[in-house]
Every structure is written in C-alpha cells, then in structure tokens.
Amino acid sequence: MTTDDYTLEELMVVEASRHVSDWDTVMVGTGLPMVASLFALKNHAPNMCYVVETGGIAPQIVGTPSSVTDARVMHRAVRHGSLLDALGGVLQRGLADVAFLGGAQIDRFANVNSTVIGDYDSPKVRFPGSGGANDLASHAKKILIITRHEKRRFPERCDFITSPGYVDGPDGRRKAGLPSAYPEIVVITDLVVMAVDRATGCLRIERLMPGVTVEQVRNSTGFDLPAAAAAGTVEPPTEAEVRLLREEVDPGGEYLKAPE
Amino acid sequence: MTTDDYTLEELMVVEASRHVSDWDTVMVGTGLPMVASLFALKNHAPNMCYVVETGGIAPQIVGTPSSVTDARVMHRAVRHGSLLDALGGVLQRGLADVAFLGGAQIDRFANVNSTVIGDYDSPKVRFPGSGGANDLASHAKKILIITRHEKRRFPERCDFITSPGYVDGPDGRRKAGLPSAYPEIVVITDLVVMAVDRATGCLRIERLMPGVTVEQVRNSTGFDLPAAAAAGTVEPPTEAEVRLLREEVDPGGEYLKAPE
Amino acid sequence: MNRKSSNKVMSAAEAVERFVHDGATVGMGGQSIGRCAMALTHEIVRQGIGDLTLVGCNLSMSMDLLVGAGLARRTECGTGNLERFGTAFRWRRAIEAGTLEVEDYSHLAMASRFLAGALGLPFMPSKSLLGTDILHKQMEGGSDSFRVIDNPWNPDEPVVLLPACRPDVSIVHAQKADELGNVVIEGFTTQEPEMVRASSSVIVSCEELISSEEIRRYPDRTTVPYIFVDAVVVQPWGSYPTSTYGCYEHDAEHLRRYQVCARSGGEAYESYLREMIHERPDFDSHLDGAIGEPRRRELEESMRRLM
Amino acid sequence: MNRKSSNKVMSAAEAVERFVHDGATVGMGGQSIGRCAMALTHEIVRQGIGDLTLVGCNLSMSMDLLVGAGLARRTECGTGNLERFGTAFRWRRAIEAGTLEVEDYSHLAMASRFLAGALGLPFMPSKSLLGTDILHKQMEGGSDSFRVIDNPWNPDEPVVLLPACRPDVSIVHAQKADELGNVVIEGFTTQEPEMVRASSSVIVSCEELISSEEIRRYPDRTTVPYIFVDAVVVQPWGSYPTSTYGCYEHDAEHLRRYQVCARSGGEAYESYLREMIHERPDFDSHLDGAIGEPRRRELEESMRRLM
C-alpha cells in the first residue's frame, strides 16, 4: 500500500482512533472526532461507550449525524438523559476516559480558543464559543484534538483561552483547581502528532506524518516546538483499516473525501 | 350536633384542613397530616396538589398508607420522581404552600425537636431525627403541626432544634438565612390552636378547643403563652364533615378512632 | 403565573402575550437543530417583544431569529450555533458590531446555573471554567457572575461559584403534554428539566395533546409535572425546521436557506423575517408557506427509520 | 471496580465479597419499608464485614440489622426509622449507649451531598439546616462536615455548604437490570439516582433480569446506565420484608416481628439474626423460612391491586 491509497484526512482519523482503547468512555460530538471514534469502535474497541453531550449513553450510532441532537446519535442508546447527566454526571464526575475537541487556536500549553479572534470586548471574529468543549478539556482523562496545521492556528498564546490545556506550565491545571490535573493531551494535524510533555506542560512533536520534516512543522507553528527524543513517523493505515473506514464508518463520504 | 358527635382528634383534623386552600401544593407524610390533607382535598380543595417526599407529584392517594414508600401514596401520580425532585425541586425551590410537621418538642418560637431528649452527645432518649422535617420547616410558606398538648412537649427551649420555627425572635429566620423568612406556623393540639405572632416570633393562642380555658392551656405549656386579642373558639365540624371524614377519608378507622 | 388552572391550553399568541414581556429573561428550549421552540419564537417576533435576555446552553436558530429581529439585548450561553449548519450569524454579527451584550459560559456551567435555580439555591459550584479566559477576562471586564473560592475542605483547591439562572419565562417544545401542563419530552432533554423548574413562567408547545389519564398511567415518563407549567400550546411541527425526536427530522434545506439569509443580513434577512413571520398570522400559515405535505411526509419517514 | 465487564451477573455472596470491605462507607438503597436492599444486607451480615459507615437519607431495617449485628461504626443520615413501624431500635440503643457515631442531616441535606458526589463537585450549597442545632451543635461538637458562608451575591445571607458524600460501595435493590448493569427502578427512587452515581462501586440486586435489547428499546426508562454498576445480583423478593413497587407489598407481620426483637435486643435479637441470617446459606433459604408461598401470593396480589 502506498501513501496514494489513503488520504491525509483518513490517516489523521486512523491515528486518532489509536488513542481510544477498548472499554473507554468517550465523549464525542459530530464530525471527524465521531468518525475517529466510530472507527475505533468497529476496529479495536468494541466495548467503547459513547457519551453524547445531549445525554445519550452508549448509543449504536447510525449514518452520519449532523448534530448531537440528531436521532442518529441516540439510536439504541441504553439511556437517554439530559445535558447535566452527560456533562455533570459522567464528565465532571471523572468518568470520561477520552474527549475530542476542536478549536480555532491552540497554543504551546495546548490551551484552546473557540471564542474570539482579537479582543474579547471588541472582537475581530466571533466564534460560537465553548459549548461543551471547556467542560471536556477540564474533566476528561485524555483529550484528543484533530485539526489542520496552519501557523495562525498555533499561536504562542491564544487570543482567548476557552478550554484549558496545561494553562501556563506543568502544574498549571492543578494550580487552577482542575480535577483532571495531568491529562494526556494529543493534537493530531495533517503534519504531525503532538502531545503535551508532562515535564514542561508544553506541546512537543511525538510523530511526524509520512514525508513531513520537523522543519516543515516548525515553520507552520507559531511557538517553539521541541521534538521528543524518539519522535518517529505515524504508522500508515492498513488496507483493511482503509476499507473499514470507507465502507463501514463513512460510506457516504459525508466526512471524509475519497482520494482524487 | 353536640360535642359528643365527634372526637377531639376529628376536630383537630378538620381544623388543620381549614388551613389548606384549593390549589395549594402540600407536602405531606403519613398519619394525621395525611388524613387532614385528604379531608381538605375531598371537602374544599379539589385541586390541591400532594407532593410526597419520595417524589410522587399529585397522586390520587388510596387507602391508608403506612409509609411514604407505600404504593398507596404513589397511586396515579402525574410523575414519579426522586427525593431530590420533591425536597429540592419543589420544596427548597419555594413551591410548597403548606407542609405538615410533627415532633417531640415545640418551643415558644415554634422550633421543633425530633432528634433527642437530653444532651445531644449523651442522649437520654434518641428519636429518629429530622427526616424531611427540617427541610419542610425551612422552606414551606405555611407550616402546620398537629400534636397532643402535654407540658413536656412545650418547653421554653427545645433540647435540640431539629426544624426551625422563628429560631429566636421575629427576625430569627431571616437572620439565619432561611429563604422562607416569615412563614405562617400553626400548631393544632387537643386544647388549642396556636400560631406564631409575627411581631414577636412567638406562639400565641388563636383559638381554644370547645370547653377549654386559657388557664388550662397555660398550665399545660412550659412557656409563657399570650393570647391573641380576638382569641375565639374552634368551630366544630358539621355533620357532613364528620360523615366525610369517617366514610370517605378514613373508612377503616386506621388513623381516627370513632367516638366510644 | 397561570399555574392554578386545570386547562392551560391556549394559542401561541395568547401564551406569548400573557407570559413574555419586554425586558424578560427568556430560557430557550432545544439545542442546535433539535427541538427548538420555533413556533413560540415566531410569535415573540410577530408581537415584537424586545429588550430580551436570552439564556440557554446552546442557543441556536430560535435565538438567532430574536437577535436578527432586533429583540435581544443580551445572551448568556455556552454556544451560538447550528452545529454543522454553521454559526448563528445574526448573533455573531451583533457581537462583532457591539450591539449585543454577551456573557460566555460552558454548557455545563449554564446547566449548573439552571440546576441552582431549579433547587432554590443561590449558586452552584463548578469545576469547569478554571484556568480560562471565560472566567478571568469576564471577571476583569467587570462581570459579577463569577466567584472563585477555596474549597473549605481542601484549602488550596479553587472552586468556581456560579449564580443561579432563573428565567422569567422559558419556551420549550415537547412531544406531548396534557391540558393540565404535564410535559413528556422524549429522547434528549438538553438543559430543559432544570431550566423549566428554575423559571417563573413556562410555555410549552407540543406536537400532541394527550389525556391526563395517559399521564397518570405512565408517571415514570413525565419529564415536567404541571406545577411548573403555565401554558400549553398545541402546535404540530412546532420546532420546524429543527427536528422533534420521534416525530420528524430537521429540514436541512430550510436551515441552509435561513443560514444564507442570516449570513448576508440586510434585505435578504429582512425578507426572510417578513415572508416567514410577519406576513404570516400564525405558525401553521408559516408551515404552509415553508414546507409542503410531501416534504413533511419525507421528514417524518426519515425520523421513523431512525427509531 | 468491575465496570469493564459485559456480564456482571453474580451471586450476592460473590458481589459482597468483591465489593464490600471492612471499614467501607456503604450507601444504603431504599427507604423506610420500601425497596431496602435486604438480600445484600443479609450477605454482609453473613460475611461479617464490619467497621462500616452507613449513609443514606432514611436509614431503615437494613441499616438496623448491620448496627444490631455489630458491623457499623457510624451512620450519616436524615432519619433512622421504619415510619409507622417505629424507630430503628438497634440504632437508637447504640446511640444511647454511645457505641455508634452519628452525624445528623435532613433528607434534603443528604440528597444534596450525594448530588455533589454525582456531579464530581467537592460540596453542595443548601438552604436547609440553617438556624438549627443539626448545624450548630454538630459544629460546636467538632464536626468538620458543615460550613456556613455568606452568599457572595447577597452578603447578609448565610448559605450552608455540605461536603460531597461518595460511598465506597452502594447496595440497591431494583425491579429490573440487564447483565451489563443497566438498572430500571420503577416508582419512587429515593436518593438512589444520585447516590449510585457518586459511589466508587455499586451492587444492584433485581427482581428480574431483562435483556439489553429491552433496555435499548426503552432508553427513557433506564434509571442508571451500566457505566456506574459493578455487579448485578438476580434476587426475586430481594427487598423482603420491605416492598418493591409494582412487585409486592411490605410484610407487616415480619416487620412487626423484627421490631419486637430489635426493641428487646439481647437473646431475642441474637436469635433473629441466627435464625434468619446466620443459619441460612443464602437469601432464598431465608425466604423459604420466613415466608411461605401463600403469603407471597397475598403480598403480590395486594400490590397488584394498587397499580
């Protein structure tokens, strides 16, 4: 299998799924995170438990949901509940193993901005805001972020911290009072897989996407980005994995474009 | 109709029911309070809404329940819920118009003891404790207490304040931080109907049971008990009321003994 | 308040006129593209009730309409968007133009504020928001809505306190209700169980009026008992173009059409308001204009396949 | 913890051995004479697991048995009684004799503590307990479990803070569960929804094992999803002599018999423990001794008439 046989987006999704283990309780919205977790469920984590912000527990998701209120994310759940049940009773309660996040900016401490570009009180661009993202980042044991790698998305400091990464250093979360004080935070982009180094509280390169150099990544990043000593290359998906992804996880190609 | 045609207990129950109005939301346990509120429902408050501590809303109570967990207090409720729903979501939320209370001691400020006689740390007699009583006394707009009149039950100060009356004076509840700062509190005994005087925060005689004198009441009370200027006599029940009580409210005589 | 009534069924026009007032804080039911109280929102727009503070977790198309119609002064929420259908554009533009006050929260933080209101508590603790600008920039900016205290049992641990949110009125669309005001919400319930209980008045529109007999037969299914509800508006398709779980799917075509108008603003948006709301005497008339019978059957069928 | 298992069905003996340990804080399901986890309680007595802290809102016969058997060190609750059947006498005597630590709360205060635990919060505010000796005498007596602060948004208003209650294990009896551990409680639910979610481990006994297919068909009816549950014990009549809503009424005769023994204490009580628990290998054997088939049919019939 050559790199032509899968898209970068597919690789990102498969790589993300590798951070989800069997029996994990996973809080997920829609979009690529849902594709990645659905892939994990069908590939190697059959007992994974979805928890949807709107309250559904362990649904058997069908089709390609376009919202957390979509009946597709509630299908055959073991329980329907409320937002408080999911975000309070599962997430803040400390039972979420993995949460997926998105955002407009991610800084060196893996803090995330999904609120505003420019000044908060007179914004240049206003985004939708936290939603459940702040809660996910505050309470999950592992936080996964899938995003495109552009320099403006990786500034030294977010214009506005919507969701906490390591705040301002290795002990930043504990000092801020966050119950999940030292979570694993992994950022998967089209160039690289980064994770927070517990010793510094900062992101560093863990693995490069095939064919990408450390230089390339650094040129596209707005902060100093160290590399782990053993930084290797992201393993490409197997043929079977690509087939599973295309034929069973996103058969309509709603989220993942097939390679041209 | 003469006084021989109804028992004192029946009179107490009918008098208590007079403090329940149509459309009131009433928090009630079992025993005489339930008889009184059932009588109100059938006599003059057809739209009264029962809320049972265990979560039942507006049940159509059947038979003579022996517990708040009895299926008889849940019969045809519009909703089953939890203790938190009832005591938090209705009562502490401020929606209970009337609550019935019992207790071993009631003092001049209408504070109630249902915890202990003697010292709390080395008790002479230990009682079951607050249950929901403290919550009812803290949050209801009107508090009704039905009890036998014995001197030891009406001390100057309760050995232990389980449920707040006016605490220590006219402004005692507000100063303590209680949301229901100036509730109506009415105590109905076999001798007298007392209520808290808002000017003093203390109980005073409102109406005497037929044939009872102020002197008799005072001799059976452990604290100075003033009388309202217009203190009259409790209205006896009508023949129809007694019939309703005996034939429809407590037909088995489970709670109310028929006159000998 | 209309809680002492054994028949709370009334028209949307009457319910909104009686219970939604200029300057009110309005709790918004539904989320994203699901079960938003669209019929009730249209009626507020039609009656031009303004100066509103809109509160909820995710505020979506119903909020965006009120902002776009110039009726909102302020929002307090976790997000303003329609998920895959995009940002709430009138809201976004109003914030960027500085014509709308906003206070930002997370979804859990807003749900916690409603929980405090529902339980009669002055505030609720939270372990969200810590270490963020949601907390710090808003506090520095003068917001009085956040406090950070030390956990009294673990003195070095900061805890956020959030004040109760108690809407003057909440508007909610549900699958079923009876004439007393007992409400059955099926599927997801968002922040509604807490928000409704925290509100001074509550208007519920429903797909179907059921008997109180049915309510009493299945008391475990009642989401909100009648003692919290003031008005029941029977309005099939009352959340259109958002979905109602079990009844019909969202209408992606109409949502996209709205988003195009909301994104452009100006005359495109004004004509949407005019054609869809102001020129329509009621929501049924709006539906007749916006969606034909064949499409309704399609959206119903599409939902049925997901059950 | 046994949450990563697709079949959690096991015997009461195995469940109690695995999840209840000496010194544990045990959350007690049920209330008064309804749905107390009697089968699981018997098993704790049989295994002699001691030094327990028992927590709940109303603690009833199940608590009284553990106190009477000398297995409890402390209780934290709102009441210790069986309502019309009287005080929990072994509990009362132990307090009067000074052999049991107690911390008193109101029912709402305990429910609030479980809510804090269920939501991952360190404490919960409360407007109960103010102006009382539950608060003041216990604080003067050295209890660290109460704080009174000023409402930050209304400085002259005192508010109580109560620390979260997080049982090491909760024991609960329910009508239905599946083998994954999804639980359906019908009728009243006491403090159980919050208490169970706050607990590190949870053992559920049930009248009936249902399929996960049925759970997924009616997701609105699931009280507790499986992610909070460690063990499922299938035990019909598992709350006897207390009732299970929809299944059977409480057995007034047996409750009175227990109360007579509990009131006298001494040999009368010891022989109750011996005959009803220690000499019985399991709860089915206890049932066979305590209640015959005709009486069971009577109590079932009596419940059926109330549905």
Side-chain angles (χ1 to χ4, degrees), chain A residues 7-259:
Chain A
T7 66
L8 249 180
E9 214 172 31
E10 286 170 341
L11 179 57
M12 288 163 72
V13 160
V14 170
E15 171 62 17
S17 81
R18 292 168 181 152
H19 298 270
V20 176
S21 305
D22 200 14
W23 288 105
D24 274 356
T25 294
V26 179
M27 303 238 18
V28 68
T30 53
L32 287 190
M34 173 160 290
V35 176
S37 54
L38 263 178
F39 178 80
L41 180 87
K42 290 183 196 248
N43 188 59
H44 60 272
N47 298 294
M48 200 196 89
C49 174
Y50 275 108
V51 176
V52 185
E53 156 182 321
T54 30
I57 307 277
Q60 294 173 345
I61 293 169
V62 289
T64 45
S66 53
S67 157
V68 290
T69 66
D70 195 318
R72 289 166 188 81
V73 300
M74 289 182 263
H75 188 65
R76 286 174 52 82
V78 300
R79 184 169 196 269
H80 289 159
S82 67
L83 213 139
L84 186 69
D85 289 335
L87 294 182
V90 177
L91 179 62
Q92 188 172 250
R93 167 69 175 79
L95 296 181
D97 298 300
V98 179
F100 282 91
L101 225 67
Q105 293 181 325
I106 302 157
D107 68 21
R108 67 188 307 149
F109 296 109
N111 301 308
V112 178
N113 175 11
S114 53
T115 301
V116 72
I117 297 291
D119 184 53
Y120 180 65
D121 293 313
S122 50
K124 221 166 82 190
V125 186
R126 170 70 205 208
F127 298 118
S130 158
N134 170 276
D135 308 308
L136 296 167
S138 299
H139 304 298
K141 293 174 196 157
K142 184 191 289 185
I143 295 145
L144 300 181
I145 303 173
I146 306 178
T147 184
R148 294 204 73 77
H149 209 117
E150 301 164 28
K151 195 159 193 164
R152 62 186 180 96
R153 286 182 177 266
F154 291 100
E156 177 70 29
R157 209 265 187 202
C158 289
D159 289 11
F160 185 95
I161 301 181
T162 310
S163 304
Y166 271 62
V167 186
D168 57 5
D171 226 23
R173 290 176 68 95
R174 193 195 55 73
K175 283 187 277 179
L178 289 162
S180 164
Y182 306 100
E184 205 178 319
I185 303 184
V186 180
V187 181
I188 295 149
T189 78
D190 44 327
L191 297 184
V192 68
V193 176
M194 298 174 283
V196 168
D197 176 4
R198 287 273 294 270
T200 62
C202 293
L203 285 170
R204 68 174 181 188
I205 295 171
E206 295 292 330
R207 278 182 297 287
L208 295 160
M209 286 295 172
V212 175
T213 65
V214 168
E215 251 358 79
Q216 262 181 286
V217 176
R218 287 185 176 148
N219 287 340
S220 302
T221 304
F223 51 81
D224 281 345
L225 185 64
T233 304
V234 174
E235 191 74 22
T238 65
E239 211 172 316
E241 285 174 334
V242 174
R243 201 181 316 114
L244 181 68
L245 196 54
R246 291 184 193 166
E247 291 174 13
E248 290 188 42
V249 175
D250 186 29
E254 178 99 356
Y255 287 99
L256 295 169
K257 274 186 224 123

Side-chain angles (χ1 to χ4, degrees), chain C residues 259-278:
Chain C
Q259 286 294 75
V260 167
C261 299
R263 182 165 215 153
S264 357
E267 177 48 29
Y269 195 75
E270 289 309 316
S271 73
Y272 181 94
L273 288 181
R274 209 166 43 237
E275 286 166 29
M276 293 293 164
I277 306 180
H278 290 298

Side-chain angles (χ1 to χ4, degrees), chain A residues 84 87-89 92 135, chain B residues 84 88-89 92-93, chain C residues 105-130 135 144-149 158-166 194-195 198, chain D residues 108 111-127 149-153 157 159-162 164 194:
Chain A
L84 186 69
L87 294 182
Q92 188 172 250
D135 308 308
Chain B
L84 186 69
Q92 188 173 251
R93 168 69 176 80
Chain C
Y105 291 89
S106 70
H107 280 181
L108 177 56
M110 281 305 297
S112 300
R113 296 185 61 202
F114 290 126
L115 177 62
L119 293 177
L121 295 171
F123 54 82
M124 187 57 57
S126 174
K127 296 297 287 178
S128 288
L129 309 188
L130 291 159
L135 198 64
D144 190 40
S145 304
F146 306 87
R147 288 286 189 291
V148 181
I149 66 164
V159 179
V160 182
L161 301 185
L162 298 168
C165 187
R166 300 187 188 88
E194 293 78 27
M195 185 179 79
Chain D
L108 177 57
S112 300
R113 296 184 61 202
F114 290 126
L115 177 62
L119 293 178
L121 295 170
F123 55 82
M124 188 58 54
S126 174
K127 296 298 287 179
I149 66 165
D150 280 345
N151 175 358
W153 291 274
E157 183 204 348
V159 178
V160 183
L161 302 185
L162 299 168
E194 293 78 27

Side-chain angles (χ1 to χ4, degrees), chain B residues 43-62:
Chain B
N43 188 59
H44 60 271
N47 299 295
M48 200 195 89
C49 174
Y50 276 109
V51 176
V52 185
E53 155 183 321
T54 31
I57 307 276
Q60 294 173 346
I61 294 168
V62 289

Side-chain angles (χ1 to χ4, degrees), chain D:
Chain D
M1 289 261 295
N2 182 42
R3 292 180 181 180
K4 299 186 176 184
S5 163
S6 50
N7 188 344
K8 296 171 183 163
V9 176
M10 60 185 83
S11 68
E14 183 185 353
V16 165
E17 194 185 344
R18 286 181 62 182
F19 300 110
V20 188
H21 304 296
D22 282 340
T25 295
V26 184
M28 306 291 284
Q31 173 164 354
S32 179
I33 55 168
R35 225 167 25 66
C36 295
M38 298 307 298
L40 299 174
T41 301
H42 275 213
E43 191 54 41
I44 296 174
V45 173
R46 209 175 284 114
Q47 296 188 20
I49 301 168
D51 199 28
L52 303 173
T53 294
L54 307 178
V55 297
C57 287
N58 164 268
L59 294 182
S60 179
M61 182 173 167
S62 49
M63 172 277 283
D64 204 54
L65 270 175
L66 293 170
V67 172
L71 301 172
R73 183 179 69 76
R74 177 184 172 88
T75 63
E76 298 177 14
C77 65
T79 18
N81 73 351
L82 290 69
E83 264 178 285
R84 292 211 87 199
F85 293 87
T87 291
F89 285 109
R90 297 328 300 154
W91 176 74
R92 172 176 167 175
R93 297 301 177 221
I95 299 172
E96 290 169 358
T99 58
L100 185 75
E101 280 176 36
V102 279
E103 197 152 75
D104 276 281
Y105 291 88
S106 70
H107 279 180
L108 177 57
M110 281 304 298
S112 300
R113 296 184 61 202
F114 290 126
L115 177 62
L119 293 178
L121 295 170
F123 55 82
M124 188 58 54
S126 174
K127 296 298 287 179
S128 288
L129 308 187
L130 291 159
T132 72
D133 289 327
I134 300 183
L135 199 63
H136 298 125
K137 283 213 181 161
Q138 292 189 111
M139 284 172 87
E140 285 161 20
S143 168
D144 190 40
S145 304
F146 306 88
R147 289 285 189 291
V148 181
I149 66 165
D150 280 345
N151 175 358
W153 291 274
N154 184 21
D156 281 339
E157 183 204 348
V159 178
V160 183
L161 302 185
L162 299 168
C165 187
R166 300 186 188 91
D168 295 312
V169 58
S170 277
I171 57 172
V172 168
H173 185 68
Q175 284 84 356
K176 297 170 186 166
D178 71 0
E179 59 180 28
L180 260 175
N182 292 297
V183 181
V184 179
I185 298 180
E186 292 166 345
F188 68 95
T189 49
T190 75
Q191 76 283 0
E192 288 152 322
E194 293 78 27
M195 185 178 79
V196 158
R197 284 168 173 79
S199 299
S200 301
S201 299
V202 174
I203 309 175
V204 175
S205 61
C206 64
E207 291 293 321
E208 188 192 351
L209 191 71
I210 62 173
S211 68
S212 295
E213 183 56 36
E214 190 174 338
I215 288 283
R216 290 188 186 278
R217 201 177 305 134
Y218 305 109
D220 291 343
R221 303 185 197 168
T222 307
T223 312
V224 179
Y226 71 97
I227 54 173
F228 295 97
V229 175
D230 299 89
V232 173
V233 174
V234 183
Q235 180 61 66
W237 289 83
S239 69
Y240 178 84
T242 70
S243 67
T244 288
Y245 178 82
C247 299
Y248 46 86
E249 278 236 74
H250 63 277
D251 186 352
E253 284 173 27
H254 191 100
L255 288 167
R256 281 194 211 98
R257 178 175 168 193
Y258 175 79
Q259 286 294 75
V260 167
C261 299
R263 182 164 215 153
S264 359
E267 177 48 27
Y269 194 74
E270 289 309 316
S271 73
Y272 180 93
L273 289 181
R274 210 166 43 238
E275 287 165 29
M276 293 293 163
I277 306 181
H278 290 300
E279 291 176 356
R280 301 289 174 177
D282 58 25
F283 199 72
D284 279 335
S285 159
H286 159 71
L287 289 171
D288 290 341
I291 181 172
E293 280 301 320
R295 179 82 178 136
R296 291 194 210 187
R297 295 299 87 77
E298 248 175 76
L299 297 178
E300 285 169 352
E301 185 45 41
S302 176
M303 179 58 81
R304 227 178 337 258
R305 279 195 304 268
L306 295 169
M307 291 299 99

